[in-house]
Amino acid sequence: MPCVNPNYSKLQAGYLFPEIARRTAAFLKENPGAEIIRMGIGDVVLPLPQAVCEAMKKAVEEMGTPEGFRGYGPEQGYGFLREAIAAEFALRGAEIDPSEIFVSDGSKCDTGNFQELFGADAKIAVTDPVYPVYVDTNVMAGRTGEANGVAYEGLVYLPTTAENGFAPELPKERVDVVYLCSPNNPTGAVMTRAQLKTWVDWAAENDATILFDAAYEAFIRDPEIPHSIFEIEGARKVAVEFRSFSKHAGFTGVRCGYVVVPKESPFHAMWNRRHCTKFNGVSYPVQRGAEAVFSPEGRRQCMANIDYYMENARLVRETLSGLGVKAHGGENGPYVWMETPGREPSWNFFDRLLREANVVGTPGAGFGACGEGYFRLSAFALRENVERALERVKRVL
Ligand code: MLT
């Protein structure tokens, strides 16, 4: 028997989205004619913005010439992209130097990898429900005990439910690291400026680090809601922020994201060291495509797609509410977090919706114990599919 990492045996079942795909595939095998509508995984469906395509095409052409060819790029990302990103932060009053931006192949990897910089006995806090990557990567690293039911020993869970307005309370015990996500995946809730300030002050007083996942910031509609934790005074010392082009610009299949690690953070030099050792940079054409997201046409085209998805979210939320279902989120983020009928167990509801309506969503329990009795519907779908899905969902409620 090879000497394997024993922590992997603590992981519960499969990763959530492959499990959903497995159940859907099994259903389709038994019901080959069924026409499934997918509102489960948050995967974009609209084509890439033209400005992005044009920039990538041009970059590929450049690479095919002796003058324009490039080999390995800087691991941290090309200056042109890091500068464009820094300028974006400046628009919201957050001063970020381009050298504090680390371009990557997406936020799933970044949020999963960042925990490598913490000590083996670092105490980790996550909200419940939570994006499973934060939990599973800490389990793999050995920072937890066994799973007891759906919670891992040693992790600190901060419940976010309708009862507390989906706002996590400060931990009651000492923790070293907390993962916060706003707009939240899966609940769709957003953190206000005052709430973020409370967290930043808490981190400063307790020598803790906030890992702030802002992958959905482009979907914020309320002008009072911060898009970055670095809009909050004091955050530069205690926070790291993850951002992505996936949902913002339709890059789920293109792959590009970035982490902001301010120079004041003890993790700046460490992340740079790690990045240079384990990563060889994002391809030049992709970085040119990402840069085009911030051009005037790129902005307009991305916003048109975001508006389209947010109109889907409105339709889902309002249709469900009209049917007497409690539907949360969907106003500043692309996910609607509905309560299941009679708080039916969420995997039951998943199976019933799949069987009776041929609609795929995401069971709340897959995001943590406090997600039980909830169900997530993603707004990343074509309008006609959202409308058809809602007609079908009505029959199942
Ligand atoms: C989701 O559906 O939660 C997202 O697609 C996950 C991700 O972005 O990795």
Side-chain angles (χ1 to χ4, degrees), residues 15 17 40-43 108 131 185 216 247 335 367 376:
Y15 185 62
F17 295 107
I41 189 162
D43 193 4
K108 185 184 197 175
Y131 179 44
N185 180 10
Y216 299 93
K247 317 294 158 93
Y335 297 123
F367 296 100
R376 194 192 78 174

Side-chain angles (χ1 to χ4, degrees), residues 43 51 86 121 124 128 141 163 165 167 195 203 219 305 307 322 334-335 351 386:
D43 193 4
D121 53 359
I124 309 290
D128 179 4
E163 288 68 41
Q195 285 167 338
F219 293 78
N305 288 357
D307 287 346
Y335 297 123
D351 287 331
V386 172

